[in-house]
Amino acid sequence: MLSAHTSPLEQPGTGDAGGMNVYVLELSRRLAQRGVAVDVFTRATSRHLPPVLDAEPGIRVHHVAAGPFDGLTKNDLPAQLCSFVRDVMRVDVENGPGYFDLIHSHYWLSGQVGTVLRERWGVPLVHSMHTMAKVKNAALAEGDSPEPMGRVWGEEEIVRHADWLVANTDEERRELLELYGADPSRVDVVHPGVDLDVFSARDRAAARSRLGVGRETPLIVFAGRIQPLKAPDLVLKAAALLRQRHDIPAEVAVIGGASGSGLERPTELQDLARELGIAEGVRFVPTVDQARLADWYAAASVVCVPSYNESFGLVAIEAQACGTPVVAARVGGLTTAVADGVTGTLVDDHDPSQYAAALAPYLTDTGLRTTTGAKAVAHAELFSWEATADRMIACYEAAARWRHAKEAR
């Protein structure tokens, strides 16, 4: 398992850690439970990390020294990939030929490493994009920077050389075919999952009590990395409109830390809340563990996911699993994660007034929130990590058969 730019052991919600971290760790866990040993390779970001860590039974994490431990952004990492490849190949040499049966790379940086290892080891390469440069550049948030052409070219190369591609949704599969010319016979759809033991329906009043939220407070929750792509500013603007136009004193909890271009303006959201006159009703919460995050989801009247692009949207599924409706952008994987009009509402553009109108019913109508929340729980139960792992193993087997047949020709 290649996760070069971010470790599955990092706390999601800040820096480069997010849904992909959860994905790699949860998938690895379920594979290990099925008897598939998983070695995860990720770049070391501290000299204090052990070179190899047995994270859980069946999961070994390798912290690869590739470039300085800190101070590097994702845009700096392509120059460190040669060092990364060298150290990963050393593990194979130490264990003897044929030690690894298959490579699963995540994100384009890991995919570049995977294409080299695939040829060196003669094993299948399965790749998950998670996000794609061409898709992101087509729907940039205001103030965000476009993905560089080097990434576009890198992704095109991965599509040509990977034995199998895994898309999170049918929409992502369509993008791989139309934008990257992927072979439709070698692209499968495997939905990410949700940990239903952690994210589950619970007593809203008790969750609010634990978090210090008023019992009757209309509460909107945003959870994710603080960067323009995720559009947390839109949530604040919608909350201001809810107060001004709808007479709804909505409060907002923004959970997460700065990431990407958001690092350049670390106080931008706090400044915006003051400008909008809602600072007293906005709580900025640092990243929290999953159990605490589940409490925030349960405490919310509604969770808002207004991203400009999401390959899936784990936040949306996690929130629904906790019995909370979701208002989200009608983009990417969110159209799969949220059942529009059933478990929440999808919004067509990034107009704060449209979000205010979509959020208002869930903040004021207890009956609607209750019935929608019950349907949300049932919907989320369709997305389990167990199902993800079973489907992924089928993809691995298909990739191995395809490569074997290709080599036999």
Side-chain angles (χ1 to χ4, degrees):
M1 202 79 78
L2 300 175
S3 183
H5 80 286
T6 181
S7 170
L9 303 182
E10 291 290 330
Q11 171 67 50
T14 189
D16 289 324
M20 196 185 92
N21 297 66
V22 176
Y23 186 108
V24 173
L25 181 58
E26 295 293 348
L27 174 59
S28 297
R29 280 175 173 159
R30 283 11 181 240
L31 292 174
Q33 290 167 5
R34 285 156 176 73
V36 179
V38 181
D39 282 42
V40 181
F41 293 86
T42 188
R43 196 181 76 85
T45 55
S46 168
R47 68 180 69 254
H48 303 297
L49 291 169
V52 182
L53 174 65
D54 288 318
E56 296 181 16
I59 304 174
R60 179 169 293 174
V61 176
H62 301 256
H63 295 111
V64 179
F69 290 114
D70 52 27
L72 295 184
T73 67
K74 277 193 291 190
N75 289 337
D76 299 319
L77 293 183
Q80 309 302 328
L81 293 184
C82 287
S83 297
F84 193 93
V85 168
R86 180 196 62 215
D87 276 20
V88 177
M89 287 197 297
R90 182 178 295 133
V91 174
D92 180 69
V93 171
E94 291 171 351
N95 288 280
Y99 181 69
F100 293 110
D101 298 298
L102 181 137
I103 303 160
H104 188 171
S105 55
H106 300 266
Y107 192 67
W108 80 277
L109 292 168
S110 297
Q112 289 285 287
V113 175
T115 59
V116 176
L117 299 178
R118 170 187 180 273
E119 297 303 317
R120 178 77 176 187
W121 296 342
V123 301
L125 170 63
V126 174
H127 181 73
S128 296
M129 286 290 193
H130 293 284
T131 63
M132 292 178 276
K134 292 182 181 181
V135 177
K136 291 181 72 173
N137 288 346
L140 279 178
E142 184 178 347
D144 216 351
S145 303
E147 294 296 314
M149 282 305 300
R151 176 178 174 181
V152 174
W153 297 329
E155 290 175 345
E156 291 175 338
E157 182 180 40
I158 293 163
V159 170
R160 288 196 303 272
H161 292 291
D163 296 284
W164 216 259
L165 297 170
V166 176
N168 286 333
T169 63
D170 291 331
E171 174 68 8
E172 186 180 347
R173 183 180 188 275
R174 182 191 64 78
E175 292 164 347
L176 280 166
L177 302 185
E178 295 182 0
L179 300 178
Y180 290 86
D183 178 351
S185 69
R186 293 187 288 120
V187 185
D188 269 332
V189 175
V190 180
H191 297 316
V194 61
D195 188 338
L196 296 171
D197 292 329
V198 175
F199 298 101
S200 58
R202 63 195 64 195
D203 185 85
R204 176 170 277 106
R208 288 187 167 215
S209 177
R210 288 189 290 270
L211 297 169
V213 177
R215 191 180 183 91
E216 302 301 326
T217 300
L219 177 65
I220 305 167
V221 165
F222 168 92
R225 300 195 302 278
I226 310 303
Q227 61 182 121
L229 173 71
K230 302 294 185 179
D233 60 305
L234 196 153
V235 182
L236 299 188
K237 292 172 183 175
L241 291 176
L242 284 165
R243 293 184 175 208
Q244 296 163 8
R245 298 181 184 177
H246 300 264
D247 197 27
I248 301 173
E251 295 189 4
V252 180
V254 178
I255 304 167
S259 173
S261 53
L263 292 167
E264 301 168 9
R265 301 177 293 275
T267 66
E268 184 176 37
L269 283 186
Q270 289 86 343
D271 296 339
L272 177 60
R274 284 192 292 271
E275 292 170 12
L276 294 170
I278 61 170
E280 81 289 348
V282 180
R283 292 173 61 170
F284 292 96
V285 182
T287 54
V288 295
D289 62 28
Q290 289 197 321
R292 193 71 165 176
L293 183 58
D295 261 354
W296 276 108
Y297 290 147
S301 308
V302 59
V303 169
C304 191
V305 189
S307 307
Y308 283 85
N309 176 248
E310 287 285 353
S311 63
F312 186 63
L314 280 177
V315 165
I317 289 292
E318 291 169 350
Q320 290 170 95
C322 293
T324 302
V326 173
V327 169
R330 195 187 297 274
V331 298
L334 289 170
T335 60
T336 299
V338 180
D340 189 24
V342 179
T343 68
T345 303
L346 296 175
V347 181
D348 290 318
D349 60 33
H350 288 80
D351 179 351
S353 64
Q354 288 198 25
Y355 272 86
L359 291 163
Y362 300 111
L363 296 167
T364 57
D365 188 336
T366 302
L368 173 66
R369 190 166 64 238
T370 300
T371 56
T372 304
K375 294 173 183 176
V377 170
H379 178 66
E381 288 174 350
L382 301 174
F383 300 89
S384 71
W385 284 115
E386 285 73 20
T388 301
D390 290 340
R391 188 73 186 89
M392 193 65 72
I393 289 173
C395 290
Y396 295 163
E397 292 170 342
R401 287 195 300 271
W402 186 87
R403 184 178 179 89
H404 179 75
K406 181 181 177 183
E407 291 172 344
R409 290 197 293 268

